[in-house]
Amino acid sequence: MAFVTVFQDVVFIEGDHPRAVKQYSAETRVSGFGAQLKNLNDLKQTMAATARNCGCNCVVNFTYGQKSKLIAIDDVAYVGNGFYAVLSNEDYNSIVSQLR
């Protein structure tokens, strides 16, 4: 079973969901000044806003980590990947009710 969380009303699934309809690639990078002070919640906040703007309610195959630029050693960024997707209201509500 994949690890599932809900952040700002968007479901993040570290794996696939058989009924999720994938819409867009979710490659996201949180970098810039002070990026080394960012955390996973900052990444999820950015991805959740993008998902909602795209009409999606989940991110499937969600992976995340930190990367540094080769040129600027002190520039670290949080990176997230996966797919913005849509779950049916029934599936979405079922997941949310189990986690809250």
Side-chain angles (χ1 to χ4, degrees):
M1 180 69 181
F3 186 69
V4 180
T5 59
V6 177
F7 187 85
Q8 295 182 342
D9 298 325
V10 174
V11 175
F12 286 81
I13 304 172
E14 294 182 25
D16 205 7
H17 189 284
R19 292 179 300 279
V21 180
K22 296 174 186 161
Q23 301 288 324
Y24 307 99
S25 176
E27 293 181 32
T28 305
R29 183 181 192 97
V30 177
S31 61
F33 182 74
Q36 67 273 20
L37 302 175
K38 302 287 185 181
N39 60 39
L40 180 57
N41 283 346
D42 295 311
L43 175 65
K44 284 185 174 181
Q45 182 176 18
T46 300
M47 294 181 81
T50 302
R52 287 190 303 271
N53 289 338
C54 294
C56 298
N57 59 6
C58 75
V59 179
V60 295
N61 296 323
F62 175 58
T63 60
Y64 58 92
Q66 288 183 314
K67 290 190 179 179
S68 62
K69 288 185 177 178
L70 295 176
I71 297 172
I73 295 172
D74 62 341
D75 186 19
V76 176
Y78 260 90
V79 179
N81 289 296
F83 293 93
Y84 296 117
V86 177
L87 290 170
S88 69
N89 286 336
E90 183 180 330
D91 287 334
Y92 176 85
N93 291 332
S94 173
I95 290 170
V96 170
S97 69
Q98 289 176 9
L99 296 176
R100 289 195 176 163

